[in-house]
Amino acid sequence: MKPPKIGSKIWAIAEGYIPAYSHGPQPEMLSHETASILNTGDDIAEIDLMIYFRDREPAGPFKIIVGARRTLHLRFNDLKDPEVIPIGTDYSSVFISSQPVVIQHTRLDSRQEANALLSTIAYSAPLGL
Amino acid sequence: MKPPKIGSKIWAIAEGYIPAYSHGPQPEMLSHETASILNTGDDIAEIDLMIYFRDREPAGPFKIIVGARRTLHLRFNDLKDPEVIPIGTDYSSVFISSQPVVIQHTRLDSRQEANALLSTIAYSAPLGL
Amino acid sequence: MKPPKIGSKIWAIAEGYIPAYSHGPQPEMLSHETASILNTGDDIAEIDLMIYFRDREPAGPFKIIVGARRTLHLRFNDLKDPEVIPIGTDYSSVFISSQPVVIQHTRLDSRQEANALLSTIAYSAPLGL
Amino acid sequence: MKPPKIGSKIWAIAEGYIPAYSHGPQPEMLSHETASILNTGDDIAEIDLMIYFRDREPAGPFKIIVGARRTLHLRFNDLKDPEVIPIGTDYSSVFISSQPVVIQHTRLDSRQEANALLSTIAYSAPLGL
C-alpha cells in the first residue's frame, strides 16, 4: 500500500503561546508548543513559516524542511532564525509548503504541578486559494 | 513571501463556558476562555460577535477589531459592551467578519490545583453561505 | 446583524467515554462528556442521536431538541431514554438534525486530583451526503 | 432512523507520541494514545495503518478491522504486528480504509500526578484524492 500525497499547502494556527515557566524533568516536561508536520509524499517539503503578533509586523519567514515520508514535530521554542519567539506572548502562525502536508498543533503547559495538554488539527486553506 | 488572505468570514464555537473560580497567580492562571483570531490580510477585520445562551435571546453584537497582519487572542472574560458574559454559564459564539480570518478556541481551567487546557479549531462556514 | 443558519445536519463524534469516577465538588467537577449544540436559525432543531459501541448494535435514537437561537450543552451522562450510556465504556455518537447546527465535543475528567479537559469540533458530513 | 455511511476513506494524524511512563491505576490511567474509529455503515471497514517517523522509513501496514455499525478505540500502545510503536518517540499516522469512517485522536498523559488529555478530529482527505 502506498498512501497518496495527503494534505494541503497552506495551514494556519491562530492560537500560539509558549508558557513562560515549567515544572518537572526537562526536556520532556518543558512547557512547549509544537506544530507536528506530516509529509507523506516522495518529495521534500520546503516550508516558509510566518509568525503573527498582536502589536508588531510578522516575523519570518522561518525555513522548515520535512523529508519525504517523514514527520517533524517542530517546537516553536527551538526557532532561532531569523529570530526567537518570545515566551509568554500571544502569537499565530502560517505555514506555506511546497508540497501537501498535514499539520496539528499541540501545547504542553507544565506551569503548575501537573501538566496540561491541548491539541487541534490546524486550519487548512481550501484548495485553489 | 507574502501569505494570501487565509480563512473564512463566518465562524462558530459551540462550546463556551467561563469557569467561575481560579487557582494560581493572575492574570495568566486566571480561568479564562479565548478566541484567537488571525487576520493575515492587509485590511482591518471588523467582526460582529454574537453570544448564544441556553434560555434567553442572543447577546450582541460585540464589536471586535483585528488589525492587518495581526492576531488577537480575545478573552471572553474581558467583553463588556453591550454586556458582560456571565461566568459558570453555558454559551456559544458566532463571528461574522468583514475579512477572512482564522479562529481557534481555547480554555484554561484552573479551578483545581493544576490547570487544565482545551483547544480546537472553530467551525468555519463553507464559502457561499 | 442577523447570522445565517450555520452548520451541518449530520455530525459524528468518534471518541466517547464517560470516566467512571470523579474528584471534587459536583455537579461542576463531576466527570462528564458533553456535546455542545448551537442552533443559530429561527427554527427548532429536532435531532436524532445514535450511540455506537464496540461489541453491540447501536442505541437510540435519543430525541434532542435545541430551540431557535439557542445552545444546548448536552451531557451524555444525562441521557436516559431509550437507555442510559454506561460509564467507563468506549462509544461514538452520530447526530442527525432537522436544521443546520454546529457541534463540539468536550470531556471533563476528574478521576485524579486535578481535572483534565479535552475538546474538538465534531466531524460534519459534507453537504449532499 | 438509519444514518448513512459517514466519513472519509483517508485520514491522517500528524501528532503522535506515547508518553514513556504513567501514574495511577492501570489500564485506565496508563499513558496511552488512541485513534477512535467509527464505522456507521453496514460493511466491515478494513483499514491499513501506516506510521511515519522523524528519521526512518514508515512502518506498516498495520491491519485494522472495524465491524459494521461499530466503533473501535484503537490504542497505539497495543499495536504489535508488524512491529511495536516505540514509546517516547515522535510519530504520525495515516489510515486508508475500504469504507468511509470517522477518526478522532486522543492522548491520556499521566506522567505527572494528575492526568492530562488532548483530543482532535483527525485530518480527512477531501473526496477524490
Side-chain angles (χ1 to χ4, degrees):
Chain A
M1 183 205 67
K2 180 152 180 40
K5 284 185 186 181
I6 297 174
S8 172
K9 292 183 177 181
I10 303 181
W11 290 84
I13 302 171
E15 169 74 31
Y17 184 84
I18 303 173
Y21 48 100
S22 301
H23 183 100
Q26 298 193 0
E28 77 267 31
M29 300 311 289
L30 176 71
S31 287
H32 63 268
E33 188 145 80
T34 301
S36 296
I37 309 170
L38 169 61
N39 174 17
T40 63
D42 290 329
D43 299 294
I44 289 175
E46 300 180 288
I47 300 171
D48 276 3
L49 164 61
M50 296 294 291
I51 304 288
Y52 292 79
F53 298 96
R54 182 177 62 82
D55 53 7
R56 50 160 285 199
E57 288 295 313
F62 300 82
K63 298 288 185 178
I64 314 293
I65 298 288
V66 185
R69 303 175 303 280
R70 293 293 185 277
T71 185
L72 174 67
H73 292 205
L74 174 73
R75 286 193 181 197
F76 288 92
N77 308 42
D78 293 338
L79 292 172
K80 291 205 177 72
D81 180 17
E83 59 186 281
V84 169
I85 310 296
I87 60 175
T89 301
D90 294 342
Y91 66 89
S92 296
S93 50
V94 169
F95 302 77
I96 311 285
S97 175
S98 64
Q99 301 290 331
V101 292
V102 178
I103 298 186
Q104 184 172 342
H105 170 227
T106 303
R107 181 186 303 155
L108 185 148
D109 176 350
S110 65
R111 289 176 294 180
Q112 294 189 325
E113 287 196 30
N115 63 309
L117 288 174
L118 65 79
S119 189
T120 182
I121 185 74
Y123 175 82
S124 58
L127 300 180
L129 187 87
Chain B
M1 183 203 66
K2 182 156 178 38
K5 284 184 186 180
I6 297 174
S8 173
K9 292 183 177 181
I10 304 181
W11 290 84
I13 301 171
E15 170 74 32
Y17 183 85
I18 303 173
Y21 48 100
S22 302
H23 182 101
Q26 298 193 358
E28 77 267 31
M29 300 312 289
L30 176 71
S31 288
H32 63 269
E33 188 145 79
T34 301
S36 296
I37 308 171
L38 169 62
N39 174 17
T40 62
D42 290 330
D43 299 294
I44 289 175
E46 299 179 288
I47 300 171
D48 276 3
L49 165 62
M50 296 295 290
I51 303 289
Y52 291 78
F53 297 97
R54 182 176 62 82
D55 53 6
R56 50 159 286 200
E57 288 295 311
F62 300 83
K63 299 287 184 178
I64 314 292
I65 297 288
V66 185
R69 303 176 302 280
R70 292 293 186 275
T71 185
L72 174 67
H73 293 206
L74 173 74
R75 286 195 182 196
F76 288 92
N77 308 42
D78 293 338
L79 292 172
K80 292 208 177 70
D81 181 17
E83 60 186 282
V84 168
I85 309 297
I87 59 174
T89 301
D90 295 341
Y91 66 90
S92 297
S93 51
V94 169
F95 302 78
I96 312 285
S97 176
S98 64
Q99 301 290 331
V101 292
V102 178
I103 298 186
Q104 184 172 341
H105 170 228
T106 303
R107 182 185 303 154
L108 185 149
D109 176 351
S110 64
R111 290 177 292 181
Q112 294 188 324
E113 287 197 29
N115 63 309
L117 289 173
L118 64 79
S119 190
T120 182
I121 186 75
Y123 175 81
S124 58
L127 300 180
L129 187 86
Chain C
M1 182 204 67
K2 180 152 177 42
K5 284 185 186 180
I6 297 174
S8 173
K9 292 184 177 180
I10 304 181
W11 291 83
I13 302 172
E15 170 74 33
Y17 183 86
I18 303 173
Y21 49 101
S22 301
H23 183 101
Q26 298 193 1
E28 77 267 32
M29 301 311 291
L30 176 70
S31 287
H32 62 269
E33 187 145 79
T34 301
S36 296
I37 308 172
L38 170 61
N39 174 17
T40 63
D42 290 330
D43 300 295
I44 288 175
E46 300 179 287
I47 301 171
D48 276 3
L49 165 61
M50 297 294 291
I51 304 287
Y52 292 78
F53 298 97
R54 182 177 61 84
D55 52 7
R56 51 159 283 200
E57 288 296 312
F62 299 84
K63 298 287 184 180
I64 315 291
I65 297 289
V66 185
R69 303 176 302 279
R70 292 294 184 276
T71 185
L72 174 66
H73 293 206
L74 173 73
R75 285 196 182 195
F76 289 92
N77 307 41
D78 294 338
L79 292 172
K80 293 209 178 67
D81 182 16
E83 60 185 284
V84 169
I85 309 296
I87 59 175
T89 301
D90 294 342
Y91 66 90
S92 296
S93 51
V94 169
F95 302 76
I96 312 285
S97 176
S98 63
Q99 300 290 331
V101 293
V102 178
I103 299 186
Q104 184 172 339
H105 170 228
T106 303
R107 180 186 304 155
L108 185 148
D109 176 351
S110 64
R111 289 176 293 181
Q112 294 189 326
E113 288 197 27
N115 64 310
L117 289 173
L118 64 81
S119 189
T120 182
I121 185 75
Y123 175 81
S124 58
L127 300 178
L129 188 84
Chain D
M1 184 204 67
K2 180 150 179 43
K5 284 185 187 181
I6 297 174
S8 174
K9 293 184 177 180
I10 303 181
W11 290 85
I13 302 171
E15 171 73 32
Y17 183 85
I18 303 172
Y21 48 101
S22 302
H23 182 99
Q26 297 194 2
E28 78 268 32
M29 300 310 290
L30 176 70
S31 287
H32 62 269
E33 188 145 78
T34 300
S36 296
I37 308 171
L38 169 61
N39 174 17
T40 63
D42 291 330
D43 299 294
I44 289 175
E46 300 180 287
I47 300 171
D48 277 3
L49 165 60
M50 297 294 291
I51 304 288
Y52 291 79
F53 297 96
R54 183 177 61 83
D55 53 7
R56 50 159 283 199
E57 288 295 313
F62 299 84
K63 299 287 184 179
I64 314 292
I65 298 288
V66 185
R69 303 176 302 281
R70 293 294 185 275
T71 184
L72 174 67
H73 293 206
L74 173 73
R75 286 196 181 194
F76 288 93
N77 308 42
D78 294 337
L79 292 172
K80 292 209 177 71
D81 181 16
E83 60 186 283
V84 169
I85 310 296
I87 60 176
T89 301
D90 294 342
Y91 66 89
S92 296
S93 51
V94 170
F95 302 76
I96 311 286
S97 175
S98 64
Q99 300 289 331
V101 293
V102 177
I103 298 186
Q104 184 171 342
H105 171 226
T106 304
R107 181 186 304 155
L108 185 149
D109 176 350
S110 65
R111 288 176 294 180
Q112 294 189 325
E113 288 196 27
N115 63 310
L117 289 173
L118 64 81
S119 189
T120 183
I121 185 74
Y123 175 82
S124 59
L127 300 179
L129 187 86

